[in-house]
Amino acid sequence: MAGAGWAPPHLEDFILTERLGSGTYATVFKAYRKKNAREVVAIKCVSKKTLNKASVENLLTEIEILKTIRHPHIVELKDFQWDKEHIFLIMEFCAGGDLSRFIHARRILPEKVARIFLQQLACALKFLHDKNISHLDLKPQNILLSSLYKPHLKLADFGFAQHMSPWDEKHVLRGSPLYMAPEMVCSRQYDARVDLWSVGVILYEALFGRPPFASKSFAELEDKIRSNQPIELPSRPRLSSECRDLLQRLLKRDPQERISFKEFFSHPFVDMEHMPSAESLDKATSLVTEAVKKDQDGDFSAALSLYSKALEYFVPALRYEVDARRKEAIRAKVSQYISRAEQLKVMVTSNNKTLLQQGRPARDILKEMSKNKPRLYAALEVADAAVAKEEEGGDDGETLDLYQQSLGELLLMLAAEPTGRRRELLHAEIQTLMGRAEYLKEQIKMKESQWEAEDKEGLSDSVRTSCTLQ
Ligand code: ADP
Ligand code: MG
């Protein structure tokens, strides 16, 4: 490690104070600009002595890339200097430390908090991906937090990053094997997709408190990396199925099977569309305008669905807004929409009951025609149970599970079903059940949005709570 025990080096315009950390080849100090004592920066000091040729290239790449990049979730490089012995990168100071410390001080992060961080990381990666830049050394130590009060994630340490093509064959492997994609260690044939593996490891560590290949010895670690066993997720803590699905798809050893960047950015757990942004409020407003129109036209079920979609944007809009008065104004509007949506839900639910009853005879006929096909019959029984549960007003999540379970089976059956009356009925039944599942999904999302919009501090509070748990 480069000079972990350094005394702060001397820099003319800055007063260097405490050591913030050190990594693969640098030591980072906190510093103040002499002319403007209130300007706090982080200065990354690299001793030229410790640099071999590859490191000089790494660093120059880092400087070139960082200088051109401005993004809310990427550490800003303000300037750089050098003297006889050192190269200094003057960076924006991140008071919250790095993500590794943040996770380990709390043991694990709640899924909600991990998700917010993941969204911010995805946002930075999307920005880089569009510029054809890979990081190649993603790990919690290279992800910083702007502050502990309202943590904002900032991607750092591009020492290893470079423009993707042409690929430099002479590349030296650097970084921690705990976070490196297996193909990086095993075959040396790798590309941008290694970053997706590392995102999987980081998310895994945030949720379970240790990376998937955590080992007691190097030999054990090597075995785990070289094995071809799929990565298994611990059963606890319990996670949403979307979160598990994403983890499993990121942590595929074979990059060919791994989730693609495009799929990652649009994965429902990442859900970048609903990240707090300057556009959230506009999107919410335009959906709510449509909702009001449908409501006036008496199309209550369409109105309810639109209110629910609008709420999914209002929540991030509230989180995005910093002005307290504007925030309060949005909140007041949102609570009106929520009341209206609740009234609509009562009406729509009673309509639904009628619809569900009307669908029964067709399903009964279909069941009658399926007596000789036990698997189809069983799937229809599950559908029956789902409908019954919805009619009783049972738990939406459990009802949705039943609908999805039966749909999974019925879709398989449909693919193998020859043309004829039974196929027609089956097709229609699947359409009906899909409609039900969609409706329930929307209702579940709406409840979540409602819960978040009415909670005065919203989600930023749950991040903060988890920050003060130390
Ligand atoms: P290396 O290239 O040697 O790995 P990093 O840029 O990753 O160096 O920095 C090493 C450590 O220093 C980080 O893990 C972090 O703890 C701390 N650090 C780096 N940059 C900053 C910053 N801008 N603000 C606060 N701490 C920082
Ligand atoms: Mg580092």
Side-chain angles (χ1 to χ4, degrees):
M1 197 158 297
W6 282 10
H10 185 75
L11 249 103
E12 204 167 290
D13 302 332
F14 296 92
I15 302 166
L16 273 72
T17 64
E18 69 198 85
R19 192 177 72 93
L20 293 167
S22 44
T24 322
Y25 61 94
T27 302
V28 181
F29 293 94
K30 188 174 178 181
Y32 299 88
R33 205 185 281 274
K34 280 183 187 159
K35 271 196 222 126
N36 176 5
R38 271 194 297 185
E39 190 187 347
V40 189
V41 295
I43 301 189
K44 179 165 172 171
C45 308
V46 186
S47 161
K48 281 184 181 169
K49 263 186 279 174
T50 61
L51 292 177
N52 55 34
K53 202 163 172 285
S55 308
V56 176
E57 269 165 35
N58 274 346
L59 197 63
L60 292 178
T61 315
E62 171 164 9
I63 294 169
E64 281 310 313
I65 295 175
L66 277 179
K67 260 183 6 191
T68 62
I69 284 175
R70 285 281 178 286
H71 187 271
H73 295 295
I74 296 178
V75 174
E76 184 188 332
L77 174 66
K78 294 177 179 248
D79 212 343
F80 83 106
Q81 293 183 11
W82 63 92
D83 64 16
K84 268 194 291 208
E85 282 151 42
H86 303 106
I87 297 174
F88 305 105
L89 300 184
I90 295 133
M91 300 180 296
E92 143 186 36
F93 170 63
C94 300
D98 64 50
L99 186 62
S100 172
R101 258 182 275 171
F102 187 89
I103 296 170
H104 296 128
R106 292 157 187 83
R107 200 175 65 83
I108 55 168
L109 305 185
E111 183 181 314
K112 264 192 188 172
V113 176
R115 184 182 195 180
I116 295 173
F117 285 154
L118 178 73
Q119 287 179 322
Q120 299 183 354
L121 179 60
C123 197
L125 289 175
K126 170 94 174 54
F127 177 85
L128 294 175
H129 185 72
D130 290 344
K131 295 188 172 342
N132 208 23
I133 297 172
S134 304
H135 191 288
L136 307 184
D137 192 18
L138 282 176
K139 55 186 174 188
Q141 293 81 354
N142 285 339
I143 296 173
L144 308 178
L145 297 164
S146 57
S147 78
L148 277 176
Y149 177 64
K150 229 183 164 182
H152 209 78
L153 177 156
K154 303 260 179 181
L155 193 49
D157 197 5
F158 283 76
F160 206 39
Q162 58 177 296
H163 286 81
M164 276 308 295
S165 56
W167 185 249
D168 174 10
E169 282 300 327
K170 281 179 287 179
H171 218 99
V172 189
L173 271 194
R174 268 180 187 272
S176 163
L178 278 176
Y179 301 94
M180 272 188 191
E183 71 268 24
M184 217 166 177
V185 185
C186 301
S187 79
R188 296 195 170 210
Q189 276 270 332
Y190 57 90
D191 57 30
R193 289 176 289 187
V194 297
D195 280 347
L196 291 168
W197 169 275
S198 306
V199 170
V201 177
I202 295 165
L203 181 59
Y204 184 111
E205 181 168 338
L207 296 164
F208 301 117
R210 57 178 176 82
F213 290 161
S215 306
K216 292 195 182 70
S217 68
F218 195 77
E220 189 188 330
L221 172 62
E222 197 166 2
D223 280 352
K224 285 184 178 164
I225 295 174
R226 293 197 188 275
S227 144
N228 48 25
Q229 294 291 314
I231 309 298
E232 271 184 40
L233 305 180
S235 55
R236 299 210 168 251
R238 280 181 66 88
L239 302 172
S240 69
S241 56
E242 284 172 351
C243 179
R244 281 186 179 272
D245 177 72
L246 178 64
L247 273 169
Q248 259 145 2
R249 295 172 65 190
L250 287 166
L251 293 173
K252 286 269 190 250
R253 291 178 186 267
D254 180 355
Q256 228 58 46
E257 287 175 27
R258 201 171 294 153
I259 195 168
S260 68
F261 275 94
K262 195 163 169 255
E263 290 166 329
F264 169 65
F265 296 132
S266 62
H267 190 279
F269 188 68
V270 182
D271 192 21
M272 291 179 71
E273 177 59 25
H274 295 100
M275 272 187 74
S277 81
E279 288 89 58
S280 305
L281 187 59
D282 282 350
K283 288 182 180 161
T285 311
S286 95
L287 282 163
V288 102
T289 312
E290 277 182 66
V292 171
K293 224 158 69 221
K294 290 282 179 203
D295 203 348
Q296 283 164 349
D297 295 348
D299 189 347
F300 298 139
S301 113
L304 177 59
S305 162
L306 284 160
Y307 276 121
S308 147
K309 292 201 172 82
L311 269 176
E312 277 188 70
Y313 287 100
F314 272 122
V315 171
L318 275 168
R319 231 181 288 154
Y320 185 80
E321 184 57 68
V322 277
D323 181 275
R325 272 176 54 196
R326 275 201 298 256
K327 215 182 184 103
E328 224 17 75
I330 302 173
R331 215 189 291 281
K333 281 248 152 97
V334 169
S335 90
Q336 281 177 20
Y337 302 139
I338 290 175
S339 322
R340 182 59 191 153
E342 278 174 342
Q343 292 170 343
L344 287 172
K345 182 158 184 193
V346 175
M347 293 192 263
V348 171
T349 305
S350 87
N351 282 349
N352 282 341
K353 284 210 175 119
T354 322
L355 283 175
L356 289 171
Q357 272 154 15
Q358 283 169 356
R360 175 138 297 152
R363 194 168 333 105
D364 285 344
I365 296 171
L366 184 55
K367 267 171 85 179
E368 210 40 56
M369 292 169 82
S370 310
K371 284 229 158 101
N372 60 344
K373 263 197 132 182
R375 201 168 153 192
L376 178 55
Y377 191 83
L380 289 167
E381 295 253 85
V382 179
D384 259 344
V387 171
K389 197 159 193 119
E390 189 179 351
E391 279 178 334
E392 279 163 25
D395 177 81
D396 283 350
E398 288 168 21
T399 313
L400 177 61
D401 276 350
L402 286 174
Y403 276 121
Q404 280 174 333
Q405 208 181 311
S406 71
L407 274 166
E409 282 285 290
L410 292 175
L411 283 165
L412 283 177
M413 303 281 109
L414 182 69
E417 182 67 25
T419 34
R421 177 81 182 120
R422 192 166 74 182
R423 188 187 167 87
E424 276 168 35
L425 282 172
L426 182 55
H427 189 265
E429 181 62 16
I430 287 176
Q431 298 277 298
T432 312
L433 296 172
M434 279 183 162
R436 300 318 308 147
E438 276 313 303
Y439 172 78
L440 285 172
K441 260 192 233 166
E442 241 170 47
Q443 288 310 307
I444 292 169
K445 282 228 174 97
M446 183 157 112
K447 243 184 247 156
E448 277 171 12
S449 308
Q450 192 173 339
W451 189 81
E452 281 164 23
E454 284 173 347
D455 166 16
K456 287 272 179 229
E457 294 301 327
L459 262 185
S460 63
D461 199 40
S462 69
V463 178
R464 211 173 303 142
T465 312
S466 116
C467 291
T468 45
L469 280 177
Q470 308 194 42

